């Protein structure tokens, strides 16, 4: 009877192990089952990321992040954002869930693209805000001069007016860029339906960058094929 009971226990554990592996293997992201401090199971993405021989090894050698290890080794549940686990600069979110008193499931979600995109968005908004200061200062300075000086020569007054107009247009372009960013985020899953002429967009872009050409003494040279067909895209964003 004892031998029969022991065989049944082993069979049940084998079935449980098979179910665990099927569950872990079904996950697309790297996933581990950690029992104690040992990696009991690892799916194919985890082996590709952390090494083919990770199963049976110490999780502390694979995931060298103190905060994440605190949750994993105490077999609690939580989410930990970590950078540099596998390679410098790569960002991960570790989803840790307790399976039983001495075991946890660890899923690793790659957030590198999301973190990079967010950083680019923040940098873009910061740069655009900074860029607004220069034309705004020019507009305010010239406008104050026009308001306070009544005896300005007509040609100088006209020059101030043109400068204010050009700097206002420059600010408008920056604001439109900021609005385009919001539109891109809102409509990023919507395919554009407009058909646009690439040559015309390039020509407009060069004309809009005229102030940079003047201030930096640089020259733009554009070569565009004559037979470019229209393409599907968002003209404003392009």
């Amino acid at each position: 009877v004892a031998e029969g009971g022991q065989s049944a226990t082993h069979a049940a554990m084998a079935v449980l192990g098979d179910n665990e592996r099927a569950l872990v293997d079904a996950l697309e992201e790297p996933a581990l089952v950690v029992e104690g401090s040992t990696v009991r199971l690892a799916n194919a993405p985890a082996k590709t990321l952390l090494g083919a021989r990770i199963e049976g090894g110490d999780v502390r050698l694979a995931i060298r992040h103190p905060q994440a290890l605190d949750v994993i080794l105490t077999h609690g549940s939580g989410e930990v954002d970590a950078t540099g686990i596998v390679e410098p600069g790569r960002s991960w979110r570790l989803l840790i869930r307790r399976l039983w008193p001495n075991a946890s499931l660890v899923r690793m979600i790659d957030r590198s693209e999301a973190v990079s995109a967010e950083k680019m968005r923040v940098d873009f908004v910061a740069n655009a805000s900074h860029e607004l200061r220069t034309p705004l200062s020019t507009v305010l300075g010239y406008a104050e001069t026009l308001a306070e000086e009544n005896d300005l020569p007509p040609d100088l007054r006209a020059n101030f007016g043109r400068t204010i107009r050009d700097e206002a247009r420059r600010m408008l372009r920056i604001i439109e860029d900021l609005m385009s960013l919001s539109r891109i985020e809102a409509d990023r899953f919507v395919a554009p339906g407009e058909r646009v002429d690439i040559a015309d967009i390039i020509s407009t872009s060069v004309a809009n960058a005229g102030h940079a050409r003047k201030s930096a003494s640089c020259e733009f040279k554009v070569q565009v094929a004559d037979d470019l067909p229209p393409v599907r895209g968002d003209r404003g964003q392009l």
Side-chain angles (χ1 to χ4, degrees), residues 20-231:
E20 289 173 9
R21 182 167 294 281
L23 172 64
V24 173
D25 288 343
L27 297 173
E28 295 182 357
E29 69 272 4
L32 313 169
V33 172
V34 179
E35 190 169 22
S37 61
T38 302
V39 178
R40 177 174 174 181
L41 295 172
N43 65 0
K47 291 178 180 178
T48 300
L49 182 68
L50 302 171
R53 299 182 179 180
I54 187 175
E55 286 189 355
D58 195 318
V59 69
R60 290 169 291 189
L61 299 178
I63 300 176
R64 301 181 180 183
H65 190 275
Q67 186 179 357
L69 288 174
D70 284 345
V71 182
I72 294 171
L73 296 177
T74 56
H75 306 297
S77 295
E79 298 182 6
V80 179
D81 289 329
T83 302
I85 290 181
V86 180
E87 56 190 61
R90 196 168 178 183
S91 299
W92 297 90
R93 173 162 292 170
L94 275 61
L95 307 181
I96 306 163
R97 297 292 182 267
R98 184 180 184 182
L99 295 178
W100 52 81
N102 67 332
S104 299
L105 172 66
V106 182
R107 297 165 57 195
M108 300 178 64
I109 310 298
D110 191 348
R111 298 190 66 249
S112 300
E113 290 187 6
V115 170
S116 178
E118 176 62 17
K119 183 178 184 304
M120 289 176 62
R121 187 188 69 82
V122 171
D123 289 346
F124 176 81
V125 172
N127 290 336
S129 301
H130 177 74
E131 285 294 322
L132 281 171
R133 294 177 62 89
T134 300
L136 183 57
S137 297
T138 302
V139 168
L140 287 174
Y142 281 24
E144 288 173 358
T145 302
L146 289 173
E148 296 172 0
E149 299 291 340
N150 296 323
D151 56 349
L152 287 175
D155 57 340
L156 186 57
R157 184 177 295 274
N159 182 57
F160 280 12
R162 286 192 297 270
T163 301
I164 291 174
R165 178 198 61 196
D166 293 342
E167 292 302 287
R169 287 176 175 172
R170 179 180 172 190
M171 286 191 292
L172 181 60
R173 287 195 297 269
I174 296 172
I175 293 170
E176 286 175 346
D177 286 344
L178 289 170
M179 294 176 65
S180 294
L181 178 64
S182 299
R183 189 166 65 251
I184 290 170
E185 291 179 338
D187 298 338
R188 61 187 181 275
F189 299 120
V190 179
E194 181 184 1
R195 301 191 69 82
V196 296
D197 184 343
I198 290 295
D200 182 55
I201 288 177
I202 293 173
S203 176
T204 302
S205 300
V206 171
N208 288 345
H211 67 278
R213 181 171 64 245
K214 294 175 183 177
S215 62
S217 300
C218 61
E219 182 181 357
F220 294 141
K221 293 184 178 180
V222 180
Q223 291 182 328
V224 181
D226 296 331
D227 57 349
L228 285 180
V231 298

